[in-house]
Amino acid sequence: MTRTDAASPRFPLSPLQHAQWFEYVRDPSSPAFNRATTVCFEGDVDVDAIRDAWSVIVGRYQCLRTVVVVDGGAPLQRVLDEVPPSFGVIDVRDLDEAGVVKVAQSE
């Protein structure tokens, strides 16, 4: 959840967004509306190209840049102009399959 700044345009939440916000406020630690995913690549990986591609996708779809802000106690949605990609990279080339599974499960 993000606090508002005065210059940001804000819009009412849809009924579904409001329900999700309510559930988040009720239990912020719940993973009900968040899903972490692990992606494994084989071979050489161009991490910068993946970051650039992800930036293009996020830039294209407002729903991937929308946050909930609270203004006077009321939840509102705000579409951010940009969201820098944020993801981790773990090099598992030197691990056997069991080691890779262990690392994936710990993330």
Side-chain angles (χ1 to χ4, degrees), residues 87-98:
F87 57 85
V89 176
I90 301 170
D91 187 346
V92 295
R93 283 181 281 197
D94 297 330
L95 300 179
D96 62 9
E97 187 174 343

Side-chain angles (χ1 to χ4, degrees), residues 53-74:
W54 185 245
S55 291
V56 169
I57 292 167
V58 171
R60 185 172 294 155
Y61 297 101
Q62 291 181 344
C63 63
L64 298 175
R65 294 179 281 116
T66 301
V67 296
V68 175
V69 295
V70 177
D71 189 1

Side-chain angles (χ1 to χ4, degrees), residues 2 15 17 19 21-22 26 31-32 38 41 54-55 80 82 87:
T2 307
Q17 288 172 317
W21 175 80
F22 178 81
R26 191 176 65 77
T38 300
F41 294 96
W54 185 245
S55 291
L80 303 175
E82 61 182 47
F87 57 85

